[in-house]
Amino acid sequence: MPADIQTLNEIALAAKAHWGYSAEQLRAWKADLTVSAEALAAKPVWVAEENGRPTGFVQVAMDTQPWELEALWVDPGHMGRGVGKALLAWARQQALAGGQSELAIDADPHAEAFYRACGARLVGTVPAPIAGSPERVRPQLRLQVKAEDGDGSPGFPPPRE
């Protein structure tokens, strides 16, 4: 909901800051980390909550081929508790329902291990230098949306609403 935008933006900035990026770098990325009312209307967002308070969110861009994970952010206090996996499962379910075979992910280097643990594969990198890290790259990943288990059913849990 539009009323959630400020909280979602706070989660995105806190999650990015969790990885030790400088305040100056976070300011430079602020526009890229911000959910606008227009983006909220154009690209589906699913919010994870605990006791009525958002703890993370995921947004899927459906205007690309393959569809792309536009954003996936988890409040640092909720990292490591399954929130990101649940959000990613929702994104996979949306892509599967939309006829996609995979999701594209332009990941932060710190998030690569999470996505790979969820089954994503590395397909390339793009240069993304920042102050103090001129060799930094962003991993480009692909995640199958229908990872089948032995009985032909999706190999990921359905999202809980």
Side-chain angles (χ1 to χ4, degrees):
M1 304 298 296
D4 293 322
I5 290 175
Q6 180 176 339
T7 301
L8 300 183
N9 291 337
E10 290 169 2
I11 288 170
L13 285 169
K16 196 72 162 180
H18 172 79
W19 299 112
Y21 292 113
S22 70
E24 180 179 331
Q25 187 60 60
L26 292 170
R27 277 192 298 279
W29 284 332
K30 188 172 182 178
D32 293 332
L33 299 173
T34 301
V35 175
S36 67
E38 296 79 22
L40 186 65
K43 299 171 184 172
V45 173
W46 192 64
V47 177
E49 294 182 340
E50 182 177 87
N51 299 320
R53 171 115 174 105
T55 59
F57 70 97
V58 64
Q59 187 171 34
V60 177
M62 299 180 300
D63 58 351
T64 63
Q65 283 300 322
W67 288 5
E68 185 171 2
L69 201 63
E70 182 78 13
L72 193 157
W73 299 107
V74 175
D75 178 83
H78 290 84
M79 289 179 178
R81 297 171 57 192
V83 175
K85 287 181 183 177
L87 292 169
L88 191 58
W90 179 85
R92 290 174 93 170
Q93 197 68 38
Q94 295 306 301
L96 181 63
Q100 298 293 301
S101 61
E102 60 185 7
L103 277 170
I105 304 168
D106 179 6
D108 182 282
H110 296 287
E112 180 180 6
F114 164 76
Y115 290 119
R116 294 192 65 162
C118 291
R121 71 185 190 290
L122 183 67
V123 295
T125 59
V126 295
I130 60 174
S133 188
E135 302 300 318
R136 180 178 177 270
V137 296
R138 287 192 325 264
Q140 303 300 291
L141 307 163
R142 293 289 186 275
L143 178 66
Q144 283 189 292
V145 298
K146 187 171 184 179
E148 292 187 347
D149 60 21
D151 65 3
S153 62
F156 53 90
R160 293 184 305 193
E161 296 187 33

